[in-house]
Amino acid sequence: MIGLMKVLTNFKFFRRNNCMLKCIPVLSLLFAALLCWGQTNRLEMPDCASPFTAKNFQVINTIPAHRWGKLPKEMAVFKYSNRPSEFPLATIQMLLKESGFPGGTMALQAAVTNDSPYVSKMLLRGGIQSDFFAVDPQKGSIILNSQFEQSNSRETPPADAVPAFETVQKQLLQWGAALGVQLDGISRNTNGNMLVFKAEGQTSRLGGAIKYKNRRSCMMLRCLAGYHMRSSDDDKISLELGINGRWLRFQMKWPEIIPVRTNKIISAEEVVQAIQTGHALADNVNEYPRQGIALVEIIDFEIEYYVPTVATPARFNSISQAEIIPILSIHTNFKSKTGETEDGGLFVPLLK
């Protein structure tokens, strides 16, 4: 496989090996098939990538054949279901009670006008403008915001009276499970542990003479079939706690996803050709050698599921019905003729 990829990407090698001349008709058909594939499987990622427009460069694959061989032979295509999420009324009541949202339980009871055990779309306002509790089953979304900080009071809390990250994460997983989030749907690191994004805040008084922690948060992203999802509006669950465990923010976006079909994926050779023939996309954060690209070196890759962006402003009011497709996120080195190198990323669609 490695030898074939070198033949496909190095014309000088091809010319030096006379034994390959007999294969010209076969290779011509292969090139034609690959070009046809590129035209019918063009990937668009307007939110994070753009066409890779470099010209006259060579592609070298440094990844061993056995690693390419571990790729699945076929992968499923998914989409978001039209079915609204079923958020149990009893669980939402418990969530409001736990969070201390002002008048939450009474407001919830007033908002629910039918006999359904599940909550319909609703928005509750708190005592101040920034406090709200929103439920949107169609989007699989729950947001609780209560940003009044204890720092606004006259009390000076201890230096660190905010629950530890472990406590925040434990509560987040408990509430996620109660609302339908399964552990196998949470993204994981390469070591198998859950991927958790953590953040904390600190504030001060008396010109900085008194400093203390005022919040800690944990966020977990959704995966699909065991692969990370790439989206401009990530499916996630997150919880932010303040001083003495006060709830500041809870967010969940976890609509139902259903399979559509299963397709075979392209080969390593076709991945190389997609890059060589301009059918790959370049990460928008890429930087390139100032003297141009003479060589693209493939040094690593990862399978991801890409969730197409919904055009604004509709993206904030609905869930995309576009297909969620597997892509190959490729880590590359871009090299100039003089040896200048820049790391970068390319994206290639995986389906035939």
Side-chain angles (χ1 to χ4, degrees):
M1 183 178 295
I2 295 295
L4 177 58
M5 293 172 71
K6 288 181 178 178
V7 170
L8 293 174
T9 57
N10 193 327
F11 185 66
K12 292 181 179 179
F13 176 91
F14 177 79
R15 292 187 60 188
R16 286 199 302 266
N17 289 266
N18 293 330
C19 64
M20 293 297 296
L21 294 177
K22 297 179 181 179
C23 299
I24 288 177
V26 176
L27 290 174
S28 297
L29 290 173
L30 176 59
F31 276 115
L34 292 173
L35 289 173
C36 180
W37 164 81
Q39 293 171 356
T40 58
N41 290 272
R42 209 174 264 282
L43 178 65
E44 295 183 358
M45 301 170 64
D47 49 339
C48 59
S50 53
F52 184 53
T53 57
K55 303 293 184 183
N56 302 319
F57 60 89
Q58 180 184 2
V59 180
I60 292 180
N61 169 42
T62 66
I63 301 174
H66 70 82
R67 173 116 187 266
W68 288 104
K70 292 181 180 179
L71 289 176
K73 302 303 180 184
E74 56 185 24
M75 294 188 68
V77 174
F78 296 87
K79 73 172 186 177
Y80 287 112
S81 166
N82 283 319
R83 291 191 291 268
S85 299
E86 295 181 340
F87 297 132
L89 175 59
T91 303
I92 298 299
Q93 289 174 327
M94 291 172 60
L95 179 63
L96 284 170
K97 182 178 180 180
E98 177 71 17
S99 67
F101 190 82
T105 301
M106 292 181 60
L108 176 62
Q109 292 173 343
V112 177
T113 57
N114 54 40
D115 296 329
S116 172
Y118 305 110
V119 176
S120 57
K121 185 174 182 178
M122 57 180 293
L123 173 63
L124 306 179
R125 291 288 182 185
I128 59 176
Q129 183 64 29
S130 61
D131 289 356
F132 66 91
F133 180 74
V135 179
D136 188 343
Q138 197 66 46
K139 295 178 63 176
S141 172
I142 299 174
I143 301 178
L144 183 145
N145 201 65
S146 183
Q147 291 298 304
F148 177 79
E149 297 183 23
Q150 189 167 337
S151 59
N152 291 331
S153 70
R154 295 183 179 181
E155 289 186 89
T156 299
D160 191 352
V162 180
F165 284 120
E166 292 75 15
T167 301
V168 181
Q169 180 177 331
K170 182 179 179 180
Q171 288 193 34
L172 177 58
L173 288 172
Q174 289 173 342
W175 283 105
L179 292 164
V181 175
Q182 298 181 343
L183 288 178
D184 61 3
I186 296 175
S187 284
R188 297 184 177 266
N189 292 307
T190 53
N191 61 9
N193 294 330
M194 282 183 292
L195 181 61
V196 184
F197 297 89
K198 302 175 181 179
E200 62 181 16
Q202 180 174 282
T203 191
S204 61
R205 289 189 185 159
L206 299 179
I210 300 176
K211 297 180 180 180
Y212 56 89
K213 302 291 183 184
N214 63 359
R215 61 188 65 215
R216 283 196 177 94
S217 66
C218 288
M219 179 177 69
M220 301 176 190
L221 301 181
R222 189 176 191 174
C223 70
L224 186 55
Y227 300 105
H228 296 303
M229 295 175 66
R230 180 176 290 268
S231 171
S232 60
D233 184 17
D234 292 316
D235 289 6
K236 60 180 175 289
I237 53 172
S238 63
L239 175 63
E240 183 176 73
L241 300 182
I243 297 165
N244 297 325
R246 183 181 184 277
W247 282 48
L248 300 179
R249 187 173 179 85
F250 173 81
Q251 185 170 6
M252 172 179 174
K253 178 177 174 285
W254 212 274
E256 182 185 36
I257 294 177
I258 57 175
V260 176
R261 66 178 185 279
T262 299
N263 283 47
K264 292 182 178 180
I265 72 167
I266 64 176
S267 65
E269 292 87 351
E270 290 170 311
V271 171
V272 171
Q273 281 302 304
I275 299 172
Q276 189 74 68
T277 57
H279 294 103
L281 295 182
D283 196 313
N284 286 338
V285 301
N286 282 351
E287 295 184 3
Y288 302 104
R290 289 168 293 180
Q291 296 183 356
I293 300 172
L295 176 67
V296 175
E297 186 178 34
I298 301 174
I299 58 178
D300 200 3
F301 65 76
E302 180 181 6
I303 295 177
E304 298 178 338
Y305 269 95
Y306 174 65
V307 184
T309 301
V310 179
T312 53
R315 57 178 291 197
F316 299 108
N317 300 314
S318 62
I319 291 293
S320 171
Q321 290 302 300
E323 292 183 345
I324 303 172
I325 59 172
I327 62 172
L328 201 65
S329 176
I330 303 171
H331 183 194
T332 65
N333 277 333
F334 300 117
K335 296 183 178 180
S336 69
K337 291 182 179 179
T338 59
E340 184 184 1
T341 301
E342 293 284 355
D343 283 342
L346 296 176
F347 304 102
V348 173
L350 266 178
L351 300 183
K352 286 186 179 290

